[in-house]
């Protein structure tokens, strides 16, 4: 067995960000897996969430938000580099883990047993996992994925790494990153280091109110959505409502973490960002019903969210800009 940190899925306690009481249980695969990887390595991932402030409507989708690598280096001394696979994937993963480096790799959820009920053995969906432990001889893998830490073995290991041969001759290798730990000093004062990132990311917030832009685009998209089946709604929602709804809940969690660490002036922004998140979840359900019934929707919720966004950002800029 080669492993970065000794962990057991049976007694692993996931981070509170992935608690059952959350409005958005999942964010996106890359952010979720890094939250748990940081947590599993003994770091506090909440300190690195300042980047969520920069989420924007990008014209046809909301920002697919991700931890900036430079923030992880500044807070935790963690360096993430892209990996060039030239041997079999399983050999590369085995080697990097043996060097004490977790491996972030896109895998097919069809072979990930933790996705039972959604993708496991039913749908081919790529998703990022972080490998912490591997035993090629025993065909065992310990990995972070989504909201927790899991393991797989046997035939799932064979299928996941395509040890019986490639699915087809033109199959491309997955996107791979390796995580080098100890590349810089871990921040001694995590709150102060995080506040520096807060100030940096406040300078990178959208110059135009994203909800004004999104309302205009959605007003056109709804006519198309009402002609589609429900599967198109799920694709559309993942790129729009779910992305920013989950991101604003993470913003709320970030500011709550700062508030618990003696940072004032957070209450108003917390309230307004949280309202955006919960309102969006309700709107998502309303949109699903509208599509099923082929009925249009009232879009004034976006006007309300635009005001909430501006008020919250103004409050943060006043004290930290």
């Amino acid at each position: 067995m080669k492993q970065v940190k000794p962990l057991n899925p049976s007694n692993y306690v996931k981070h509170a960000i992935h608690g059952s009481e959350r409005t958005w249980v999942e964010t996106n695969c890359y952010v979720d897996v890094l939250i748990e990887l940081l947590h599993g390595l003994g770091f506090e991932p909440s300190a690195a969430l300042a980047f969520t402030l920069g989420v924007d409507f990008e014209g046809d989708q909301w920002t697919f938000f991700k931890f900036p690598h430079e923030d992880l280096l500044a807070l935790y001394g963690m360096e993430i580099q892209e990996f060039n696979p030239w041997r079999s994937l399983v050999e590369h993963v085995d080697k990097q883990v043996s060097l004490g480096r977790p491996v972030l790799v896109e895998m097919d959820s069809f072979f990930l047993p933790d996705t039972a009920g959604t993708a496991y053995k039913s749908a081919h969906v790529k998703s990022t996992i972080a490998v912490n432990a591997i035993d090629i001889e025993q065909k065992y893998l310990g990995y972070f994925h989504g909201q927790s830490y899991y393991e797989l073995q046997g035939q799932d290991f064979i299928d996941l790494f395509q040890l019986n041969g490639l699915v087809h001759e033109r199959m491309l290798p997955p996107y791979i990153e390796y995580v080098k730990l100890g590349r810089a000093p871990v921040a001694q004062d995590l709150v102060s280091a995080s506040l520096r990132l807060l100030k940096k990311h406040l300078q990178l917030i959208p110059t135009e109110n994203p909800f004004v832009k999104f309302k205009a685009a959605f007003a056109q998209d709804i006519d198309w959505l009402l002609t589609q089946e429900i599967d198109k709604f799920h694709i559309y929602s993942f790129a729009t409502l779910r992305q920013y709804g989950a991101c604003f809940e993470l913003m709320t969690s970030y500011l709550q973490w700062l508030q618990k660490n003696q940072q004032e002036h957070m209450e108003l922004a917390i309230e307004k960002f949280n309202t955006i998140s919960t309102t969006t979840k309700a709107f998502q359900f309303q949109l699903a019903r509208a599509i099923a019934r082929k009925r249009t929707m009232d879009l004034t919720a976006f006007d309300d969210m635009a005001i909430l966004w501006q008020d919250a950002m103004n409050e943060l800029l006043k004290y930290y800009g």
Side-chain angles (χ1 to χ4, degrees):
M1 172 80 72
K2 296 168 184 174
Q3 56 187 347
V4 177
K5 187 169 183 178
L7 294 172
N8 188 335
S10 65
N11 58 22
Y12 178 81
V13 179
K14 60 187 177 181
H15 193 274
I17 284 176
H18 290 138
S20 58
E21 74 287 352
R22 302 285 288 184
T23 300
W24 302 87
V25 180
E26 296 178 331
T27 60
N28 64 52
C29 62
Y30 196 83
V31 167
D32 280 332
V33 75
L34 271 175
I35 286 171
E36 289 304 327
L37 174 61
L38 287 166
H39 175 55
L41 292 173
F43 299 121
E44 175 47 69
S46 299
L49 293 175
F51 72 93
T52 56
L53 295 165
V55 68
D56 195 4
F57 180 61
E58 310 291 358
D60 56 3
Q61 59 195 282
W62 281 75
T63 309
F64 190 87
F65 54 95
K66 301 170 72 173
F67 285 98
H69 291 175
E70 62 270 22
D71 290 6
L72 300 179
L73 184 62
L75 292 174
Y76 315 114
M78 173 188 291
E79 182 180 24
I80 299 180
Q81 294 286 353
E82 183 175 351
F83 193 82
N84 175 31
W86 59 271
R87 293 190 298 186
S88 69
L89 175 60
V90 72
E91 290 179 281
H92 285 308
V93 172
D94 183 74
K95 180 62 177 180
Q96 293 301 312
V97 171
S98 74
L99 294 173
R101 302 170 179 173
V103 178
L104 296 161
V105 54
E106 288 184 337
M107 291 298 207
D108 188 345
S109 295
F110 191 91
F111 306 117
L112 295 175
D114 66 278
T115 67
T118 55
Y120 184 56
K121 304 301 184 185
S122 64
H124 293 281
V125 181
K126 71 174 183 178
S127 189
T128 301
I129 69 171
V131 179
N132 172 69
I134 187 170
D135 188 326
I136 295 179
E137 183 177 345
Q138 297 298 319
K139 297 180 176 58
Y140 173 89
L141 196 73
Y143 64 100
F144 296 96
H145 184 226
Q147 306 163 58
S148 196
Y149 183 72
Y150 306 97
E151 62 184 2
L152 61 79
Q153 52 194 328
Q155 191 61 45
D156 285 329
F157 185 95
I158 294 171
D159 292 337
L160 189 71
F161 286 106
Q162 300 297 326
L163 299 185
N164 287 334
L166 296 177
V167 174
H168 55 81
E169 62 181 11
R170 291 179 59 82
M171 183 176 176
L172 298 174
Y175 184 72
I176 312 169
E177 294 173 312
Y178 59 97
V179 181
K180 299 177 74 172
L181 304 175
R183 294 293 289 165
V186 176
Q188 294 300 304
D189 186 340
L190 197 60
V191 176
S192 295
S194 184
L195 286 172
R196 288 193 289 273
L197 295 180
L198 169 63
K199 294 176 181 179
K200 178 185 79 170
H201 287 289
L202 277 174
Q203 303 308 309
L204 301 174
I205 65 173
T207 55
E208 298 179 60
N209 192 306
F211 290 99
V212 174
K213 295 188 294 181
F214 183 49
K215 180 185 177 182
F218 187 87
Q220 297 179 346
D221 294 340
I222 187 64
D223 293 334
W224 168 78
L225 278 169
L226 292 176
T227 68
Q228 303 299 306
E229 298 300 323
I230 198 67
D231 62 319
K232 293 296 184 184
F233 154 76
H234 291 297
I235 295 172
Y236 181 84
S237 182
F238 179 79
T240 55
L241 302 172
R242 177 177 156 186
Q243 277 302 300
Y244 82 78
C247 189
F248 279 92
E249 186 172 27
L250 285 179
M251 282 187 212
T252 302
S253 297
Y254 174 56
L255 299 182
Q256 288 172 332
W257 177 79
L258 287 174
Q259 188 180 52
K260 290 176 182 177
N261 285 278
Q262 288 74 53
Q263 297 305 305
E264 301 177 354
H265 315 300
M266 296 293 173
E267 192 60 42
L268 186 145
I270 288 171
E271 177 188 346
K272 293 184 182 296
F273 286 146
N274 186 59
T275 300
I276 290 174
S277 176
T278 56
T279 300
T280 301
K281 190 61 174 286
F283 189 90
Q284 180 180 248
F285 288 129
Q286 293 166 9
L287 178 58
R289 289 195 295 269
I291 292 173
R293 298 169 182 174
K294 306 301 180 186
R295 295 178 181 176
T296 191
M297 294 187 66
D298 181 359
L299 305 188
T300 56
F302 296 128
D303 297 326
D304 297 336
M305 285 188 268
I307 295 171
L308 290 166
W309 181 88
Q310 193 65 66
D311 288 348
M313 289 302 181
N314 287 343
E315 183 77 358
L316 291 176
L317 286 167
K318 181 167 63 175
Y319 293 106
Y320 298 99

